[in-house]
Coordinates of all heavy atoms in Angstrom, one line a residue:
M2 N -64.1 15.0 -7.5 CA -63.9 13.5 -7.0 C -64.8 12.6 -7.9 O -65.8 12.9 -8.2 CB -64.2 13.5 -5.6 CG -64.1 12.1 -5.1 SD -64.3 11.8 -3.3 CE -65.9 12.4 -3.1
V3 N -64.1 11.4 -8.2 CA -65.0 10.5 -8.9 C -64.8 9.2 -8.1 O -63.8 8.8 -7.6 CB -64.2 10.2 -10.3 CG1 -64.9 9.1 -11.1 CG2 -64.3 11.4 -11.1
V4 N -66.0 8.5 -8.0 CA -66.0 7.3 -7.2 C -66.3 6.1 -8.2 O -67.3 6.3 -9.0 CB -67.0 7.3 -6.1 CG1 -67.2 5.9 -5.5 CG2 -66.8 8.3 -5.1
A5 N -65.5 5.2 -8.3 CA -65.7 4.0 -9.4 C -65.6 2.8 -8.7 O -64.8 2.5 -7.7 CB -64.6 4.1 -10.4
S6 N -66.6 1.9 -9.0 CA -66.7 0.6 -8.4 C -65.9 -0.3 -9.4 O -65.9 -0.3 -10.5 CB -68.0 0.0 -8.4 OG -68.1 -1.2 -7.9
Q7 N -65.0 -1.2 -8.7 CA -64.2 -2.1 -9.5 C -63.2 -1.6 -10.3 O -62.7 -2.0 -11.3 CB -65.1 -3.1 -10.3 CG -66.2 -3.9 -9.5 CD -65.7 -4.8 -8.6 OE1 -64.7 -5.4 -8.7 NE2 -66.1 -4.7 -7.3
G8 N -62.7 -0.3 -9.9 CA -61.8 0.3 -10.6 C -60.4 -0.1 -10.5 O -60.1 -0.9 -9.6
R9 N -59.4 0.1 -11.4 CA -58.1 -0.2 -11.3 C -57.2 1.0 -11.3 O -57.8 2.1 -11.5 CB -57.7 -1.2 -12.6 CG -58.6 -2.4 -12.7 CD -57.7 -3.4 -13.3 NE -58.4 -4.8 -13.6 CZ -58.1 -5.7 -12.7 NH1 -57.4 -5.7 -11.6 NH2 -58.8 -6.8 -12.9
V10 N -55.9 0.8 -10.9 CA -55.1 2.1 -10.8 C -55.1 3.0 -11.9 O -55.2 4.2 -11.7 CB -53.6 1.6 -10.5 CG1 -52.7 2.6 -10.5 CG2 -53.5 0.7 -9.3
A11 N -55.1 2.5 -13.2 CA -55.0 3.4 -14.4 C -56.3 4.1 -14.6 O -56.3 5.0 -15.5 CB -54.6 2.6 -15.6
I12 N -57.4 3.9 -13.8 CA -58.6 4.6 -14.1 C -58.4 6.1 -14.0 O -59.1 7.0 -14.5 CB -59.8 4.1 -13.2 CG1 -61.1 4.6 -13.6 CG2 -59.5 4.5 -11.7 CD1 -62.3 3.9 -13.0
G13 N -57.5 6.6 -13.1 CA -57.2 8.1 -13.0 C -56.7 8.7 -14.2 O -56.9 9.9 -14.4
D14 N -56.0 7.9 -15.0 CA -55.4 8.6 -16.2 C -56.4 9.2 -17.2 O -56.2 10.4 -17.4 CB -54.5 7.6 -16.9 CG -53.3 7.2 -16.0 OD1 -53.0 7.8 -15.0 OD2 -52.7 6.1 -16.4
P15 N -57.3 8.5 -17.7 CA -58.2 9.2 -18.6 C -59.2 10.2 -17.9 O -59.4 11.2 -18.5 CB -59.2 8.1 -19.3 CG -59.0 6.9 -18.2 CD -57.6 7.0 -17.6
I16 N -59.5 10.0 -16.7 CA -60.4 10.9 -15.9 C -59.6 12.1 -15.6 O -60.0 13.3 -15.9 CB -60.9 10.3 -14.8 CG1 -61.9 9.1 -15.0 CG2 -61.6 11.3 -13.8 CD1 -62.2 8.3 -13.7
G17 N -58.4 12.0 -15.2 CA -57.4 13.2 -14.9 C -57.2 14.0 -16.2 O -57.2 15.2 -16.1
A18 N -56.9 13.3 -17.3 CA -56.6 14.0 -18.5 C -57.9 14.8 -18.9 O -57.8 15.8 -19.5 CB -56.3 13.0 -19.6
R19 N -59.2 14.1 -18.8 CA -60.3 14.8 -19.4 C -60.5 16.0 -18.5 O -61.1 17.0 -19.0 CB -61.5 13.8 -19.3 CG -62.8 14.3 -19.7 CD -62.9 14.4 -21.1 NE -64.1 15.0 -21.5 CZ -65.1 14.4 -22.3 NH1 -64.9 13.1 -22.7 NH2 -66.2 15.0 -22.5
L20 N -60.3 15.9 -17.3 CA -60.6 17.2 -16.3 C -59.5 18.2 -16.3 O -59.5 19.2 -15.7 CB -60.8 16.5 -14.9 CG -62.0 15.7 -14.6 CD1 -61.9 15.1 -13.1 CD2 -63.2 16.6 -14.8
G21 N -58.4 17.9 -17.0 CA -57.2 18.7 -17.1 C -56.5 18.9 -15.8 O -55.9 19.8 -15.5
A22 N -56.5 17.7 -14.9 CA -55.8 17.7 -13.7 C -54.3 17.6 -13.9 O -53.7 17.0 -14.7 CB -56.3 16.6 -12.9
R23 N -53.5 18.3 -13.0 CA -52.1 18.3 -13.1 C -51.6 16.9 -12.4 O -50.7 16.4 -12.8 CB -51.5 19.5 -12.4 CG -51.7 20.8 -13.2 CD -51.3 22.0 -12.5 NE -49.8 22.0 -12.4 CZ -49.1 22.9 -11.6 NH1 -49.8 23.7 -10.8 NH2 -47.7 22.8 -11.5
C24 N -52.4 16.6 -11.3 CA -51.9 15.3 -10.6 C -53.3 14.7 -10.4 O -54.4 15.1 -10.2 CB -51.3 15.7 -9.2 SG -49.7 16.5 -9.5
V25 N -53.2 13.3 -10.1 CA -54.4 12.5 -9.8 C -53.9 11.6 -8.6 O -52.8 11.1 -8.6 CB -54.9 11.7 -11.1 CG1 -53.8 10.7 -11.6 CG2 -56.1 11.1 -10.7
V26 N -54.8 11.4 -7.8 CA -54.6 10.5 -6.6 C -55.8 9.3 -6.8 O -57.0 9.7 -6.8 CB -54.8 11.2 -5.3 CG1 -54.8 10.2 -4.1 CG2 -53.6 12.3 -5.2
V27 N -55.4 8.1 -6.8 CA -56.3 7.0 -6.8 C -56.1 6.3 -5.5 O -55.1 5.8 -5.3 CB -56.2 6.2 -8.1 CG1 -57.1 5.0 -8.1 CG2 -56.3 7.0 -9.4
L28 N -57.3 6.1 -4.8 CA -57.2 5.2 -3.5 C -58.0 4.0 -3.9 O -59.1 3.9 -4.4 CB -57.9 6.0 -2.5 CG -57.4 7.3 -2.0 CD1 -58.3 8.0 -1.1 CD2 -56.0 7.2 -1.4
I29 N -57.3 2.8 -3.6 CA -58.0 1.5 -4.0 C -57.8 0.7 -2.7 O -56.8 0.5 -2.2 CB -57.1 0.9 -5.2 CG1 -57.4 1.7 -6.4 CG2 -57.6 -0.6 -5.4 CD1 -56.7 1.2 -7.7
G30 N -58.9 0.1 -2.4 CA -58.9 -0.9 -1.2 C -58.4 -2.2 -1.8 O -58.6 -2.6 -3.0
E31 N -57.8 -3.0 -1.0 CA -57.3 -4.3 -1.3 C -58.4 -5.3 -1.5 O -59.4 -5.1 -1.0 CB -56.3 -4.9 -0.3 CG -55.0 -4.1 -0.1 CD -54.1 -4.0 -1.4 OE1 -54.3 -4.9 -2.2 OE2 -53.3 -3.2 -1.4
R32 N -58.1 -6.3 -2.4 CA -59.1 -7.4 -2.6 C -59.2 -8.2 -1.5 O -58.2 -8.6 -0.7 CB -58.6 -8.2 -3.8 CG -58.4 -7.4 -5.0 CD -58.0 -8.3 -6.2 NE -56.9 -9.0 -5.9 CZ -55.5 -8.7 -6.2 NH1 -55.3 -7.4 -6.6 NH2 -54.6 -9.4 -6.0
P33 N -60.4 -8.8 -1.2 CA -60.8 -9.7 -0.2 C -59.8 -11.0 -0.4 O -59.6 -11.4 -1.6 CB -62.2 -10.0 -0.4 CG -62.8 -8.8 -1.0 CD -61.6 -8.3 -2.0
G34 N -59.4 -11.6 0.7 CA -58.7 -12.8 0.6 C -57.1 -12.5 0.7 O -56.4 -13.5 0.8
L35 N -56.7 -11.4 0.6 CA -55.3 -11.0 0.8 C -55.0 -11.0 2.3 O -55.8 -10.9 3.1 CB -54.9 -9.7 0.2 CG -55.1 -9.6 -1.3 CD1 -54.6 -8.2 -1.9 CD2 -54.2 -10.7 -2.1
S36 N -53.6 -11.0 2.7 CA -53.3 -11.0 4.0 C -53.8 -9.8 4.8 O -53.8 -9.9 6.0 CB -51.8 -11.4 4.1 OG -51.1 -10.2 3.6
A37 N -53.9 -8.7 4.1 CA -54.3 -7.4 4.8 C -55.5 -7.0 3.9 O -55.4 -5.7 3.3 CB -53.1 -6.4 4.9
S38 N -56.6 -7.4 4.0 CA -57.8 -7.1 3.1 C -58.4 -5.8 3.6 O -59.1 -5.2 2.9 CB -58.8 -8.2 3.1 OG -59.4 -8.4 4.5
D39 N -58.0 -5.3 4.7 CA -58.4 -4.0 5.2 C -57.5 -2.7 4.8 O -57.6 -1.7 5.2 CB -58.6 -3.9 6.7 CG -57.4 -4.3 7.5 OD1 -56.4 -4.8 6.8 OD2 -57.3 -3.9 8.7
S40 N -56.5 -3.2 3.9 CA -55.5 -2.1 3.5 C -56.0 -1.2 2.4 O -56.8 -1.7 1.5 CB -54.2 -2.9 3.2 OG -53.2 -2.1 2.8
L41 N -55.4 -0.1 2.3 CA -55.6 0.9 1.3 C -54.4 1.2 0.7 O -53.4 1.4 1.2 CB -56.2 2.1 1.9 CG -56.7 3.2 1.0 CD1 -58.0 2.7 0.2 CD2 -57.1 4.4 1.8
G42 N -54.4 1.3 -0.8 CA -53.3 1.8 -1.5 C -53.7 3.0 -2.1 O -54.7 3.4 -2.5
C43 N -52.6 4.0 -2.2 CA -52.7 5.3 -2.7 C -51.7 5.5 -4.0 O -50.6 5.2 -3.8 CB -52.5 6.4 -1.6 SG -52.4 8.0 -2.3
Y44 N -52.2 5.8 -5.2 CA -51.5 5.8 -6.3 C -51.5 7.3 -6.8 O -52.6 7.8 -7.0 CB -51.9 4.8 -7.4 CG -51.9 3.4 -7.0 CD1 -52.9 2.8 -6.2 CD2 -50.7 2.7 -7.2 CE1 -52.7 1.5 -5.8 CE2 -50.6 1.4 -6.8 CZ -51.6 0.9 -6.1 OH -51.5 -0.5 -5.6
V45 N -50.4 7.8 -7.0 CA -50.3 9.4 -7.3 C -49.5 9.4 -8.6 O -48.5 9.0 -8.7 CB -49.6 10.2 -6.1 CG1 -49.8 11.6 -6.3 CG2 -50.1 9.8 -4.8
T46 N -50.1 10.2 -9.5 CA -49.6 10.5 -10.8 C -49.5 11.9 -11.2 O -50.6 12.5 -11.2 CB -50.3 9.6 -11.7 OG1 -50.3 8.3 -11.4 CG2 -49.5 9.6 -13.2
F47 N -48.4 12.3 -11.7 CA -48.3 13.7 -12.3 C -48.7 13.6 -13.8 O -48.2 12.6 -14.5 CB -47.0 14.3 -12.2 CG -46.8 15.6 -12.7 CD1 -47.1 16.8 -12.0 CD2 -46.3 16.0 -14.0 CE1 -47.1 18.1 -12.5 CE2 -46.3 17.1 -14.6 CZ -46.6 18.2 -13.7
G48 N -49.4 14.6 -14.3 CA -49.7 14.6 -15.8 C -50.5 13.3 -16.3 O -50.0 12.8 -17.2
P49 N -51.6 13.1 -15.7 CA -52.4 11.9 -16.0 C -52.7 12.0 -17.6 O -53.1 13.0 -18.0 CB -53.6 11.8 -15.2 CG -53.8 13.2 -14.8 CD -52.5 13.8 -14.7
A50 N -52.6 10.7 -18.2 CA -52.9 10.6 -19.6 C -53.2 9.1 -20.0 O -52.4 8.4 -19.3 CB -51.8 11.3 -20.5
P51 N -54.1 8.8 -20.8 CA -54.3 7.5 -21.1 C -53.0 6.8 -21.6 O -52.2 7.4 -22.3 CB -55.4 7.5 -22.2 CG -56.1 8.8 -22.1 CD -55.0 9.7 -21.4
G52 N -52.8 5.5 -21.1 CA -51.6 4.8 -21.7 C -50.3 5.0 -20.8 O -49.3 4.4 -21.2
L53 N -50.4 5.7 -19.8 CA -49.1 5.9 -19.1 C -48.7 4.4 -18.4 O -49.5 3.8 -17.9 CB -49.3 6.9 -17.9 CG -49.5 8.3 -18.1 CD1 -49.6 9.1 -16.9 CD2 -48.2 8.7 -18.9
P54 N -47.4 4.3 -18.4 CA -46.9 3.1 -17.8 C -46.9 3.2 -16.2 O -46.9 4.3 -15.6 CB -45.5 2.9 -18.2 CG -45.1 4.3 -18.5 CD -46.3 5.1 -19.0
D55 N -47.0 2.1 -15.5 CA -47.0 2.2 -14.0 C -45.7 2.8 -13.4 O -45.8 3.3 -12.4 CB -47.1 0.7 -13.5 CG -48.5 0.2 -13.7 OD1 -49.5 1.0 -13.8 OD2 -48.7 -1.1 -13.6
S56 N -44.6 2.8 -14.3 CA -43.3 3.5 -13.7 C -43.6 5.0 -13.7 O -42.7 5.7 -13.0 CB -42.3 3.2 -14.7 OG -42.5 3.7 -16.0
R57 N -44.7 5.5 -14.1 CA -44.9 7.0 -13.9 C -45.8 7.2 -12.7 O -46.2 8.5 -12.4 CB -45.8 7.5 -15.1 CG -45.0 7.7 -16.4 CD -44.1 9.0 -16.4 NE -44.8 10.1 -16.1 CZ -45.6 10.8 -16.9 NH1 -45.7 10.5 -18.2 NH2 -46.3 11.9 -16.4
R58 N -46.1 6.2 -11.8 CA -46.9 6.4 -10.7 C -46.0 6.1 -9.4 O -45.1 5.4 -9.5 CB -48.0 5.4 -10.6 CG -49.0 5.4 -11.8 CD -50.0 4.3 -11.6 NE -50.4 3.9 -12.9 CZ -50.9 4.5 -13.9 NH1 -51.2 5.8 -13.7 NH2 -51.2 4.0 -15.0
N59 N -46.5 6.7 -8.4 CA -45.9 6.5 -7.0 C -47.0 5.9 -6.2 O -48.1 6.3 -6.3 CB -45.4 7.9 -6.3 CG -44.2 8.4 -7.1 OD1 -44.5 9.1 -8.1 ND2 -43.0 8.1 -6.7
C60 N -46.5 5.0 -5.3 CA -47.5 4.3 -4.5 C -47.2 4.4 -3.0 O -46.0 4.3 -2.6 CB -47.6 2.8 -4.9 SG -48.7 1.7 -3.9
I61 N -48.3 4.6 -2.2 CA -48.2 4.5 -0.8 C -49.0 3.3 -0.5 O -50.3 3.4 -0.7 CB -48.6 5.8 -0.1 CG1 -47.8 7.0 -0.8 CG2 -48.6 5.7 1.3 CD1 -48.5 8.4 -0.3
S62 N -48.5 2.3 0.1 CA -49.4 1.1 0.3 C -49.4 0.7 1.9 O -48.8 1.3 2.7 CB -48.8 0.0 -0.4 OG -47.4 -0.3 0.1
N63 N -50.3 -0.2 2.2 CA -50.5 -0.7 3.6 C -51.0 0.3 4.5 O -50.6 0.3 5.6 CB -49.2 -1.4 4.0 CG -49.5 -2.3 5.2 OD1 -50.6 -2.9 5.2 ND2 -48.5 -2.4 6.1
I64 N -51.9 1.2 4.1 CA -52.5 2.2 4.9 C -53.7 1.5 5.4 O -54.7 1.0 5.0 CB -53.1 3.3 4.0 CG1 -52.0 4.0 3.1 CG2 -53.8 4.4 4.9 CD1 -52.5 4.9 2.1
R65 N -53.4 1.3 6.9 CA -54.5 0.5 7.6 C -53.9 0.5 9.1 O -52.8 0.8 9.4 CB -54.6 -0.9 7.2 CG -53.4 -1.7 7.4 CD -53.6 -3.1 6.8 NE -52.5 -4.0 7.1 CZ -52.5 -4.9 8.2 NH1 -53.6 -4.8 9.0 NH2 -51.5 -5.5 8.5
E66 N -54.9 0.1 9.9 CA -54.5 0.0 11.4 C -53.5 -1.2 11.4 O -53.8 -2.3 10.8 CB -55.7 -0.3 12.1 CG -55.5 -0.3 13.8 CD -56.7 -0.5 14.5 OE1 -57.8 0.0 14.1 OE2 -56.7 -1.3 15.5
G67 N -52.4 -1.1 12.0 CA -51.4 -2.1 12.1 C -50.4 -2.0 10.9 O -49.6 -2.8 10.8
G68 N -50.7 -1.0 10.0 CA -49.7 -0.7 9.0 C -49.3 0.8 9.0 O -49.1 1.3 10.1
L69 N -49.3 1.4 7.9 CA -49.1 2.8 7.8 C -50.3 3.5 8.3 O -51.3 3.4 7.8 CB -48.7 3.2 6.3 CG -48.4 4.7 6.0 CD1 -47.0 5.0 6.9 CD2 -48.1 4.8 4.6
A70 N -50.0 4.4 9.3 CA -51.2 5.2 9.8 C -51.7 6.2 8.8 O -50.9 6.7 7.9 CB -50.7 6.0 11.0
V71 N -53.1 6.5 8.8 CA -53.7 7.4 7.8 C -52.9 8.7 7.9 O -52.6 9.3 6.8 CB -55.1 7.6 8.1 CG1 -55.7 8.6 7.4 CG2 -55.8 6.3 8.0
E72 N -52.5 9.4 9.0 CA -51.9 10.6 9.1 C -50.6 10.6 8.4 O -50.2 11.4 7.8 CB -51.8 11.1 10.6 CG -53.1 11.2 11.3 CD -53.7 9.9 11.8 OE1 -53.1 8.9 11.7 OE2 -54.9 10.0 12.2
A73 N -49.9 9.4 8.6 CA -48.4 9.3 8.0 C -48.7 9.3 6.4 O -48.0 9.7 5.7 CB -47.8 8.1 8.5
A74 N -49.7 8.4 6.0 CA -49.9 8.4 4.6 C -50.2 9.6 4.0 O -49.8 10.0 2.8 CB -51.0 7.3 4.3
A75 N -51.0 10.5 4.7 CA -51.5 11.9 4.2 C -50.3 12.8 4.1 O -50.0 13.4 3.1 CB -52.6 12.5 5.0
G76 N -49.4 12.7 5.2 CA -48.2 13.5 4.9 C -47.3 13.0 3.8 O -46.7 13.8 3.1
Q77 N -47.1 11.7 3.5 CA -46.4 11.2 2.3 C -47.0 11.7 1.1 O -46.3 12.1 0.2 CB -46.2 9.8 2.4 CG -45.3 9.2 3.5 CD -45.1 7.7 3.4 OE1 -45.4 7.0 2.4 NE2 -44.5 7.1 4.5
M78 N -48.4 11.6 1.0 CA -49.0 12.0 -0.2 C -48.8 13.5 -0.5 O -48.5 13.9 -1.5 CB -50.5 11.7 -0.1 CG -51.3 12.2 -1.4 SD -53.0 11.6 -1.5 CE -53.6 11.8 0.2
E79 N -48.8 14.2 0.6 CA -48.6 15.8 0.5 C -47.3 16.0 0.0 O -47.0 16.8 -1.1 CB -48.8 16.5 1.7 CG -48.4 18.0 1.7 CD -48.6 18.6 3.0 OE1 -48.7 18.1 4.1 OE2 -48.5 20.0 2.9
A80 N -46.3 15.3 0.5 CA -44.8 15.5 0.2 C -44.7 15.0 -1.4 O -44.0 15.7 -2.2 CB -43.8 14.6 1.1
L81 N -45.3 13.9 -1.7 CA -45.3 13.5 -3.2 C -45.9 14.5 -4.1 O -45.3 14.9 -5.1 CB -46.1 12.1 -3.3 CG -45.3 10.9 -2.9 CD1 -46.4 9.8 -3.1 CD2 -44.2 10.8 -4.0
L82 N -47.1 15.0 -3.7 CA -47.8 16.1 -4.6 C -46.8 17.3 -4.8 O -46.7 17.9 -5.7 CB -49.2 16.4 -4.1 CG -50.1 15.2 -4.2 CD1 -51.3 15.5 -3.4 CD2 -50.5 15.1 -5.7
R83 N -46.3 17.7 -3.6 CA -45.4 18.9 -3.6 C -44.2 18.7 -4.5 O -43.8 19.5 -5.4 CB -45.0 19.3 -2.2 CG -46.1 20.0 -1.4 CD -45.5 20.4 0.0 NE -46.6 20.9 0.8 CZ -47.0 22.0 0.9 NH1 -46.5 23.0 -0.1 NH2 -47.9 22.4 1.7
A84 N -43.5 17.6 -4.4 CA -42.4 17.2 -5.3 C -42.8 17.1 -6.6 O -42.1 17.6 -7.5 CB -41.7 16.0 -4.7
M85 N -43.9 16.3 -6.9 CA -44.4 16.2 -8.4 C -44.5 17.7 -9.1 O -44.2 17.9 -10.1 CB -45.6 15.5 -8.5 CG -45.4 14.0 -8.1 SD -47.0 13.1 -8.0 CE -46.3 11.5 -7.5
L86 N -45.2 18.6 -8.3 CA -45.5 19.8 -8.9 C -44.2 20.6 -9.1 O -44.1 21.4 -10.0 CB -46.5 20.6 -8.0 CG -47.9 20.1 -7.9 CD1 -48.8 20.7 -6.8 CD2 -48.7 20.2 -9.3
A87 N -43.3 20.5 -8.2 CA -42.0 21.2 -8.2 C -41.2 20.7 -9.4 O -40.5 21.4 -10.1 CB -41.3 21.2 -6.9
Q88 N -41.2 19.4 -9.6 CA -40.3 18.7 -10.6 C -40.9 18.4 -11.9 O -40.3 18.2 -12.8 CB -39.8 17.3 -10.0 CG -38.9 17.5 -8.7 CD -38.4 16.3 -8.1 OE1 -38.2 15.3 -8.8 NE2 -38.3 16.2 -6.8
G89 N -42.3 18.4 -11.9 CA -43.0 18.3 -13.1 C -43.0 16.8 -13.6 O -43.0 16.5 -14.9
T90 N -43.0 15.8 -12.7 CA -42.9 14.5 -13.1 C -43.3 13.6 -11.8 O -43.5 14.1 -10.7 CB -41.5 14.0 -13.6 OG1 -41.6 12.7 -14.1 CG2 -40.4 14.1 -12.3
S91 N -43.4 12.3 -12.1 CA -43.8 11.3 -11.1 C -43.1 10.0 -11.4 O -42.5 9.9 -12.4 CB -45.4 11.3 -10.9 OG -45.9 10.8 -12.1
G92 N -43.4 9.2 -10.4 CA -42.9 7.7 -10.7 C -41.3 7.6 -10.6 O -40.8 8.4 -9.7
V93 N -40.7 6.8 -11.3 CA -39.2 6.6 -11.1 C -38.5 7.8 -11.4 O -37.2 7.9 -10.9 CB -38.8 5.3 -12.0 CG1 -39.5 4.0 -11.4 CG2 -39.0 5.6 -13.5
A94 N -38.9 8.7 -12.2 CA -38.2 10.0 -12.5 C -38.2 11.0 -11.4 O -37.4 11.9 -11.4 CB -38.8 10.6 -13.7
L95 N -39.1 10.7 -10.4 CA -39.2 11.7 -9.3 C -38.1 11.4 -8.4 O -37.8 10.4 -8.0 CB -40.5 11.6 -8.5 CG -40.9 12.5 -7.5 CD1 -41.2 13.8 -8.2 CD2 -42.1 12.1 -6.7
R96 N -37.4 12.5 -8.1 CA -36.0 12.5 -7.4 C -36.3 13.0 -5.9 O -37.1 13.9 -5.7 CB -34.9 13.1 -8.0 CG -34.9 14.7 -8.0 CD -33.7 15.3 -8.6 NE -33.7 16.7 -8.3 CZ -34.5 17.6 -8.6 NH1 -35.5 17.3 -9.4 NH2 -34.3 18.9 -8.2
R97 N -35.5 12.5 -5.0 CA -35.5 13.0 -3.7 C -34.6 14.2 -3.7 O -33.5 14.2 -4.2 CB -34.9 12.0 -2.7 CG -35.7 10.9 -2.4 CD -35.3 10.1 -1.3 NE -35.3 11.0 -0.1 CZ -35.0 10.6 1.2 NH1 -34.8 9.5 1.4 NH2 -35.1 11.6 2.1
D98 N -35.0 15.1 -2.9 CA -34.1 16.4 -2.7 C -33.2 16.1 -1.6 O -33.2 15.0 -1.0 CB -34.9 17.7 -2.6 CG -35.6 18.1 -3.8 OD1 -35.1 17.8 -5.0 OD2 -36.7 18.6 -3.7
D99 N -32.5 17.1 -1.2 CA -31.6 16.9 0.0 C -32.1 16.5 1.2 O -33.1 17.0 1.8 CB -30.9 18.3 0.3 CG -29.9 18.3 1.5 OD1 -29.8 17.3 2.0 OD2 -29.6 19.4 1.8
P100 N -31.8 15.2 1.6 CA -32.4 14.7 2.8 C -32.3 15.4 4.1 O -33.1 15.4 5.0 CB -31.6 13.3 3.1 CG -30.9 13.1 1.9 CD -30.7 14.4 1.1
A101 N -31.4 16.4 4.2 CA -31.2 17.3 5.3 C -32.3 18.4 5.3 O -32.7 19.0 6.3 CB -29.9 18.0 5.3
D102 N -33.0 18.6 4.2 CA -34.1 19.5 4.0 C -35.3 19.0 4.6 O -35.7 18.0 4.1 CB -34.3 19.9 2.5 CG -35.4 20.9 2.2 OD1 -36.1 21.4 3.2 OD2 -35.5 21.3 1.0
P103 N -35.9 19.7 5.6 CA -37.1 19.1 6.3 C -38.4 19.0 5.3 O -39.3 18.3 5.5 CB -37.5 20.2 7.4 CG -36.7 21.3 7.1 CD -35.5 20.9 6.2
K104 N -38.2 19.8 4.2 CA -39.4 19.8 3.2 C -39.0 18.7 2.1 O -39.9 18.7 1.1 CB -39.7 21.2 2.6 CG -40.1 22.0 3.7 CD -40.5 23.4 3.0 CE -41.0 24.3 4.1 NZ -41.2 25.6 3.7
A105 N -38.1 18.1 2.2 CA -37.6 17.0 1.1 C -38.6 15.8 1.1 O -39.2 15.6 2.0 CB -36.2 16.6 1.4
L106 N -38.6 15.2 0.0 CA -39.5 14.0 -0.2 C -39.1 13.0 0.8 O -37.9 12.5 0.7 CB -39.5 13.5 -1.7 CG -40.3 12.4 -2.1 CD1 -41.8 12.8 -1.9 CD2 -40.2 12.1 -3.4
P107 N -39.9 12.4 1.6 CA -39.5 11.4 2.5 C -39.1 10.1 1.9 O -39.6 9.7 0.9 CB -40.6 11.3 3.6 CG -41.7 11.8 2.7 CD -41.4 12.7 1.9
D108 N -38.1 9.3 2.4 CA -37.9 8.0 2.0 C -39.1 7.2 2.4 O -39.4 7.3 3.7 CB -36.6 7.6 2.6 CG -36.0 6.3 2.0 OD1 -36.9 5.4 1.6 OD2 -34.8 6.1 1.8
A109 N -39.5 6.4 1.6 CA -40.7 5.4 1.9 C -40.3 4.5 3.1 O -41.2 4.0 3.7 CB -41.1 4.5 0.7
R110 N -39.0 4.3 3.3 CA -38.6 3.5 4.5 C -38.7 4.2 5.7 O -38.6 3.6 6.8 CB -37.2 2.9 4.2 CG -37.3 2.0 3.0 CD -35.9 1.7 2.6 NE -35.3 2.9 2.1 CZ -34.1 3.0 1.5 NH1 -33.3 2.0 1.5 NH2 -33.7 4.3 1.1
D111 N -38.7 5.5 5.8 CA -38.7 6.3 7.1 C -40.0 6.2 7.7 O -41.0 5.8 7.2 CB -38.6 7.8 6.6 CG -37.1 8.1 6.0 OD1 -36.2 7.3 6.2 OD2 -37.1 9.3 5.5

């Protein structure tokens, strides 16, 4: 685990690459002054490497009381990681499997 102050989403790319991580999860608190400053965002990337575009990341946002519950966010993160490891990709290339399958990647709207 790495803790960084004032970090941005892409901070996980060089760190994950240096550590040889297959996936990286970056948790970022929202900036003060936003409508939900107590919110947390979770950015998950398969195959972290410096210079990856944002289209290679998946985001779970609005994790907070009054938003997405921590337990639900953890379940979505687990599903994302399982799908990424199975498919070998993340971001817009990550596909949903059969929605009838209880282990399929959940729709973010669910």
Side-chain angles (χ1 to χ4, degrees):
M2 176 173 62
V3 174
V4 177
S6 178
Q7 303 298 318
R9 298 209 181 263
V10 173
I12 194 168
D14 294 344
I16 294 169
R19 178 76 184 240
L20 295 174
R23 292 176 67 195
C24 296
V25 66
V26 175
V27 176
L28 300 172
I29 297 183
E31 295 295 348
R32 297 182 308 273
L35 296 179
S36 61
S38 61
D39 62 342
S40 182
L41 184 69
C43 172
Y44 299 85
V45 191
T46 308
F47 179 85
L53 285 182
D55 286 338
S56 61
R57 286 280 312 275
R58 302 180 216 296
N59 293 85
C60 178
I61 302 167
S62 62
N63 197 31
I64 304 168
R65 66 185 189 91
E66 189 175 322
L69 182 63
V71 171
E72 295 81 8
Q77 287 185 17
M78 182 174 38
E79 178 186 8
L81 278 171
L82 289 166
R83 286 181 186 276
M85 288 175 185
L86 292 170
Q88 296 177 34
T90 192
S91 59
V93 297
L95 191 66
R96 70 180 199 290
R97 287 194 60 171
D98 289 329
D99 179 3
D102 179 354
K104 293 183 180 178
L106 185 60
D108 189 322
R110 297 166 292 186
D111 291 345

